[in-house]
């Protein structure tokens, strides 16, 4: 995958001198190919055209990106540090070591710098919806806080979820993917991994279906990073 997991992993490995292939099921779009046509962009950037329900009571629509940049291409660029209580749960309940706040602090700082994370300010005449929310909260004596977002020179088009036309949102498409490619990584798009082949309980080869040519090919490797999101990773 080429979302936050795959892009960051691929970039760091490529910058360390490794031979990297990033495999993406969806298509490649740069911000110049995005438009303000919500239905068109939803059908192109989202898995199953945005129709991807979870079964249950009630049924909940699940938004999953299927394009270069993955979920980072279709989200609002919001980025928070993992809360302390969650990190404590990982350590005490699940015995996961090395993920306390002290160990992660340097990584949080690096990511925030790489993605230009700021607390975007409400500007009169340019972010009217946020301004109204802020004014309403103040009338109710509610506290407000600006959300930290990965944006650079945001022009408040409010098209984050269907592709940022201006390229202001610092998605993987605009940050880590270019870094990986600059260091020699290869990006295969419209290719779906369908099976992992193991030898002696070690993943050594992956079977890939090329959606364009409707044929299969194999990729052999020394190491494999599975980064297809919360649904596709365990499914594969």
């Amino acid at each position: 995958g080429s979302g936050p997991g795959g892009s960051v992993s691929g970039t760091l490995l490529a910058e360390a001198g490794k031979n990297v292939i990033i495999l993406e099921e969806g298509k490649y779009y740069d911000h110049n190919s995005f438009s303000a046509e919500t239905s068109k962009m939803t059908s192109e950037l989202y898995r199953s055209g945005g129709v991807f329900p979870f079964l249950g009571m009630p049924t909940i629509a699940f938004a999953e990106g299927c394009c270069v940049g993955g979920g980072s291409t279709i989200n609002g660029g919001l980025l928070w540090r993992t809360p302390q209580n969650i990190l404590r749960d990982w350590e005490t309940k699940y015995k996961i070591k090395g993920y306390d706040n002290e160990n992660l602090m340097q990584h949080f700082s690096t990511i925030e710098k790489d993605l230009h994370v700021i607390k975007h300010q409400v500007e009169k005449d340019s972010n009217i919806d946020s301004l109204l929310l802020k004014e309403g909260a103040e009338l109710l004596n509610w506290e407000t806080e600006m959300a930290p977002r990965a944006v650079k020179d945001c022009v408040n088009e409010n098209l984050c979820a269907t592709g940022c036309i201006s390229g202001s949102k610092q998605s993987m498409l605009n940050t880590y993917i270019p870094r990986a490619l600059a260091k020699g990584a290869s990006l295969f798009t419209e290719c779906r991994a369908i099976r992992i082949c193991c030898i002696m309980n070690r993943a050594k080869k992956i079977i890939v279906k090329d959606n364009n040519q409707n044929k299969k090919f194999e990729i052999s490797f020394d190491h494999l990073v599975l980064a297809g999101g919360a649904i596709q990773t365990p499914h594969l």
Side-chain angles (χ1 to χ4, degrees), residues 9-18 20 176 179-180 183:
S9 302
T11 298
L12 296 181
L13 289 167
E15 290 179 342
K18 304 299 182 183
V20 174
Y176 285 99
R179 279 174 53 182
K183 287 298 182 178

Side-chain angles (χ1 to χ4, degrees), residues 186-217:
S186 298
L187 174 63
F188 293 178
T189 61
E190 298 180 76
C191 294
R192 179 177 174 83
I194 57 176
R195 188 164 74 253
I196 300 169
C197 303
C198 297
I199 300 174
M200 302 292 289
N201 291 324
R202 183 179 175 88
K204 300 296 289 185
K205 184 171 63 177
I206 196 163
I207 309 299
V208 180
K209 182 180 179 182
D210 185 325
N211 293 336
N212 273 326
Q213 302 183 36
N214 197 28
K215 66 179 183 180
K216 298 176 183 177
F217 61 94

Side-chain angles (χ1 to χ4, degrees), residues 8-213:
V8 175
S9 302
T11 298
L12 296 181
L13 289 167
E15 290 179 342
K18 304 299 182 183
N19 182 12
V20 174
I21 292 175
I22 299 174
L23 195 67
E24 171 55 49
E25 180 182 0
K27 296 181 179 181
Y28 174 83
Y29 301 87
D30 64 21
H31 71 268
N32 293 314
S33 62
F34 296 147
S35 77
E37 297 179 55
T38 301
S39 59
K40 176 178 181 291
M41 297 314 303
T42 299
S43 67
E44 292 185 2
L45 300 178
Y46 285 66
R47 180 177 299 281
S48 303
V51 183
F52 198 81
F54 275 139
L55 298 180
M57 294 296 289
T59 300
I60 300 172
F62 178 69
E64 187 175 47
C66 190
C67 56
V68 172
S72 74
T73 302
I74 62 164
N75 67 18
L78 302 172
L79 196 148
W80 285 271
R81 296 186 177 192
T82 310
Q84 293 260 28
N85 62 308
I86 299 295
L87 296 177
R88 280 195 297 270
D89 278 352
W90 289 355
E91 186 170 21
T92 57
K93 289 185 180 180
Y94 305 108
K95 310 303 179 186
I96 300 175
K97 302 300 181 182
Y99 279 79
D100 57 33
N101 195 61
E102 183 178 348
N103 283 309
L104 290 180
M105 185 66 70
Q106 60 177 323
H107 301 298
F108 288 146
S109 297
T110 298
I111 292 289
E112 289 167 353
K113 182 179 178 181
D114 288 348
L115 297 181
H116 199 260
V117 175
I118 60 172
K119 289 195 174 180
H120 196 50
Q121 297 301 311
V122 174
E123 297 175 10
K124 190 176 181 181
D125 301 326
S126 65
N127 195 352
I128 298 174
D129 50 354
S130 294
L131 187 63
L132 289 173
L133 285 170
K134 186 173 185 295
E135 289 175 352
E138 289 172 350
L139 288 172
L140 293 167
N141 292 319
W142 291 358
E143 292 184 18
T144 62
E145 183 178 354
M146 297 307 297
R149 297 183 63 213
V151 294
K152 196 172 185 179
D153 301 322
C154 179
V155 294
N156 297 297
E157 293 166 317
N158 202 24
L159 295 170
C160 306
T162 51
C164 178
I165 294 177
S166 67
S168 301
K169 184 175 68 175
Q170 300 298 284
S171 65
M172 302 300 102
L173 190 63
N174 295 330
T175 53
Y176 285 99
I177 288 290
R179 279 174 53 182
L181 297 179
K183 287 298 182 178
S186 298
L187 174 63
F188 293 178
T189 61
E190 298 180 76
C191 294
R192 179 177 174 83
I194 57 176
R195 188 164 74 253
I196 300 169
C197 303
C198 297
I199 300 174
M200 302 292 289
N201 291 324
R202 183 179 175 88
K204 300 296 289 185
K205 184 171 63 177
I206 196 163
I207 309 299
V208 180
K209 182 180 179 182
D210 185 325
N211 293 336
N212 273 326
Q213 302 183 36

